[in-house]
Amino acid sequence: MDKTDVLRHLPAVHRLLAAKEAKVLLEEYPSTVVRIAFGEELQRLREYILALEPQADSEIDERTSERSGRNHLGPVPQWVSSQIDIPAIVQRVAEQLARKYAPSLRPVLNLTGVVIHTNLGRAPLSARALQSVVEVAQGYSTLEFQVEEGARSSRHVHVERRICDMTGAEAALVVNNNAAAVFLVLQEMAEGGEAIVSRGQLVEIGGAFRVPDIMAQSGVELVEVGTTNKTRLNDYERAMSERTRLLVRVHTSNFRIVGFTEEPDLVSLAQLAHRYQIPLFEDLGSGALFDYAERGIGDEPTVAASIAAGVDIVTFSGDKLLGGAQAGIVVGRRSYIDRMKKHPLLRALRPDKMTLAALEATLIDHQRPHPETDIPVLRMLTESVDDLLQRANAVMDLLEEHRQWLTALHFEVCENTAKVGGGALPLVELPSVAIRIASEKVGATTLSRLLRTVPDVPIIARIEDDAVWLDVRTLLPGQEFLLAKGLADVGQSLVSRELT
Ligand SMILES: *Cc1c(COP(=O)(O)O)cnc(C)c1O
């Protein structure tokens, strides 16, 4: 066939729409969307065919070639003609639409070994939290309704009692995230006045959250005291003035200054603040309710320890070491929390029902006998190397079933080091287990890109020593099969590369 014949054989849009192959598409997408997609695909084909170079290929029929003569309408290779029939066009349009309309926010397999990975969504929720979110979100709920009285109530009541029980605080308040919690505290407690902070704590938390900036934003004048490595109690005391509204302590979540260092202990700092009748505010960041240190994991202070030391207001995240939904939690003295509950800003920072459902359920998990098995973050942080080894071997066993596709890849179960992440416990190295993958066909960068682009669920791995490492500490139970399937897909694409 020459170009004119091929172009004449292109089906019209209405024929494509009426074809039986297009039926599924019309159930999946609005008909205008399908019509436009067919039109665009036909236009692409026309342009492609017209731009084809003249063929000297023996496949092409001599007579047609002589007859047409002119280059721009010259013969067309056989395979092009096979791409213009109705099933082929519908198939391609189906693939294009599927790609275009696929959700952007979707699951991935985290094999980085970073447990609280902010870019990958921080804390996976517990079964109880998931169930509660579904139940509360799929219908109506008691969000702001008191059932016994049949009266209006506040969304802030649902989790307050539990948070107070677990932290020893008098009152609690939940907002959208910890950055918002810090902002609310500074605004309510110190706007127009001064807040004193140690120079060793003027940190950047990430995502443009810097302590000096957030102070300025909330209209609070920052008074820096001490030095980067040493701040003493009398540095704070000398900075006190009539304009001082708040003593601020920021937990340096994501870094540590080690060596020649000094910071006053919390009890002394609280006593100093109270002597001047000023509240002490601590931004704890991660906010552990579970005593990780007692389990030999780092030295993270618990929220309860801060309250017990006399801190008046503590803020922390709901989706870091607590292992729940994105939220910022403010706990402390009732008189201060009550003031924040009346702040007009709270309306803009209030959490939604799904957050509250997930948070309350996670708090229930914390109060039950086995938080370290029920809450995914706690489970991942405390899982033993023996258990991890078993899970890595389970994946290796599953890979056996795909052996024929995995000839271009080498797998090895190795010791590895996982991280807590989320700016928490930066020095803690969790002994872990990884599957190391290497290939003679492609380098580690290509291999990790192939893993990220597998058809089902992207696999996010780590590259080290020119190999790809899959740390199983962050592989959730039940994901072993998906991982093995993804690896088989990558193996298959490498083998078929070889064949073509
Ligand atoms: C993480 C962190 C924040 C920010 O918390 P988000 O919940 O991410 O808003 C603030 N302060 C400290 C010390 C942190 O570690």
Side-chain angles (χ1 to χ4, degrees):
M1 285 204 283
D2 68 17
K3 286 185 180 179
T4 352
D5 289 332
V6 174
L7 289 173
R8 203 181 309 126
H9 275 92
L10 276 182
V13 171
H14 72 267
R15 279 191 54 216
L16 287 168
L17 282 168
K20 63 177 193 303
E21 290 87 353
K23 227 176 152 153
V24 204
L25 273 188
L26 290 163
E27 276 161 22
E28 201 75 22
Y29 308 97
S31 58
T32 44
V33 166
V34 180
R35 179 179 299 116
I36 290 168
F38 280 146
E40 285 172 353
E41 176 63 13
L42 290 174
Q43 185 57 25
R44 236 189 322 273
L45 281 171
R46 264 182 225 109
E47 282 164 16
Y48 181 82
I49 291 161
L50 285 171
L52 278 174
E53 291 296 319
Q55 293 290 312
D57 206 322
S58 57
E59 263 179 47
I60 293 161
D61 185 77
E62 289 290 337
R63 271 179 321 152
T64 26
S65 153
E66 268 163 35
R67 181 161 44 107
S68 66
R70 289 163 303 181
N71 270 351
H72 69 284
L73 289 176
V76 166
Q78 206 79 62
W79 65 267
V80 172
S81 337
S82 76
Q83 292 306 300
I84 63 163
D85 65 358
I86 289 178
I89 294 174
V90 174
Q91 173 65 26
R92 275 200 307 282
V93 168
E95 282 162 15
Q96 287 158 15
L97 288 175
R99 264 198 304 277
K100 187 169 163 190
Y101 283 83
S104 162
L105 181 59
R106 60 200 173 111
V108 302
L109 298 186
N110 174 10
L111 288 134
T112 62
V114 178
V115 176
I116 305 169
H117 197 305
T118 297
N119 301 144
L120 303 183
R122 288 200 186 157
L125 295 178
S126 72
R128 185 186 308 277
L130 287 175
Q131 192 190 341
S132 181
V133 169
V134 169
E135 284 173 1
V136 165
Q138 76 187 355
Y140 299 100
S141 65
T142 56
L143 183 64
E144 293 182 347
F145 190 74
Q146 227 281 359
V147 183
E148 283 84 21
E149 325 258 308
R152 196 185 146 173
S153 126
S154 156
R155 71 179 62 209
H156 297 293
V157 302
H158 301 291
V159 292
E160 184 165 15
R161 188 69 263 136
R162 272 180 226 284
I163 295 172
C164 292
D165 287 348
M166 272 182 268
T167 59
E170 290 174 5
L173 178 62
V174 177
V175 292
N176 248 318
N177 52 45
N178 189 36
V182 172
F183 189 61
L184 179 65
V185 171
L186 291 172
Q187 274 259 309
E188 177 53 44
M189 304 302 298
E191 193 189 11
E194 293 175 356
I196 304 175
V197 190
S198 160
R199 288 204 167 86
Q201 296 169 8
L202 294 175
V203 296
E204 171 173 314
I205 308 298
F209 182 88
R210 289 177 162 185
V211 172
D213 296 345
I214 198 145
M215 288 261 179
Q217 277 293 317
S218 43
V220 177
E221 201 173 316
L222 169 66
V223 177
E224 303 174 23
V225 296
T227 61
T228 305
N229 58 330
K230 287 214 175 203
T231 303
R232 300 193 180 82
L233 200 60
N234 70 11
D235 291 321
Y236 285 93
E237 186 154 13
R238 270 186 293 147
M240 290 282 196
S241 77
E242 306 85 78
R243 301 198 57 230
T244 309
R245 298 280 158 76
L246 209 56
L247 280 196
V248 180
R249 192 167 124 128
V250 183
H251 183 53
T252 56
S253 312
N254 52 7
F255 79 106
R256 291 287 186 274
I257 298 174
V258 294
F260 191 55
T261 65
E262 187 176 335
E263 287 279 353
D265 65 81
L266 261 187
V267 175
S268 318
L269 202 56
Q271 281 167 355
L272 173 72
H274 298 158
R275 204 152 14 99
Y276 286 83
Q277 295 180 325
I278 284 164
L280 172 61
F281 160 44
E282 183 178 34
D283 174 18
L284 257 185
S286 296
L289 298 179
F290 180 82
D291 199 342
Y292 290 94
E294 199 177 59
R295 291 304 214 79
I297 303 166
D299 55 358
E300 189 72 17
T302 62
V303 181
S306 288
I307 294 293
V311 182
D312 301 284
I313 304 166
V314 180
T315 58
F316 54 99
S317 274
D319 57 352
K320 289 186 183 171
L321 289 173
L322 194 154
Q326 179 191 300
I329 301 169
V330 192
V331 297
R333 301 224 178 271
R334 176 162 302 285
S335 57
Y336 299 139
I337 302 288
D338 281 347
R339 277 166 58 185
M340 288 177 230
K341 283 181 179 166
K342 292 192 195 103
H343 196 295
L345 196 58
L346 185 59
R347 181 61 179 77
L349 305 179
R350 71 182 191 184
D352 87 318
K353 60 188 175 189
M354 291 190 274
T355 299
L356 289 168
L359 185 60
E360 182 177 30
T362 309
L363 294 172
I364 293 173
D365 285 326
H366 270 282
Q367 291 180 312
R368 287 171 57 89
H370 304 294
E372 73 278 21
T373 49
D374 295 344
I375 305 172
V377 164
L378 274 63
R379 188 185 50 67
M380 285 188 267
L381 289 174
T382 56
E383 192 165 11
S384 75
V385 169
D386 279 348
D387 289 351
L388 293 171
L389 203 53
Q390 267 185 26
R391 300 212 294 129
N393 286 325
V395 175
M396 294 294 274
D397 288 346
L398 287 170
L399 287 177
E400 273 300 298
E401 292 169 27
H402 303 282
R403 207 175 27 222
Q404 81 271 27
W405 296 115
L406 297 172
T407 50
L409 296 170
H410 305 285
F411 298 93
E412 195 189 342
V413 174
C414 300
E415 284 178 9
N416 196 36
T417 308
K419 295 290 252 176
V420 177
L425 297 167
L427 301 185
V428 171
E429 301 199 321
L430 301 162
S432 196
V433 176
I435 298 170
R436 183 179 177 279
I437 323 174
S439 169
E440 282 118 41
K441 299 276 177 290
V442 288
T445 317
T446 307
L447 196 51
S448 82
R449 183 173 48 74
L450 290 172
L451 287 168
R452 288 196 309 274
T453 50
V454 291
D456 298 325
V457 183
I459 297 168
I460 314 299
R462 232 177 60 206
I463 297 180
E464 220 174 281
D465 302 332
D466 204 37
V468 168
W469 297 71
L470 305 172
D471 193 313
V472 297
R473 190 177 279 279
T474 44
L475 182 69
L476 300 177
Q479 291 184 330
E480 292 85 356
F481 181 80
L482 260 179
L483 174 61
K485 171 148 187 320
L487 292 171
D489 283 334
V490 169
Q492 189 166 1
S493 72
L494 289 175
V495 171
S496 38
R497 254 190 214 189
E498 220 165 282
L499 299 176
T500 52

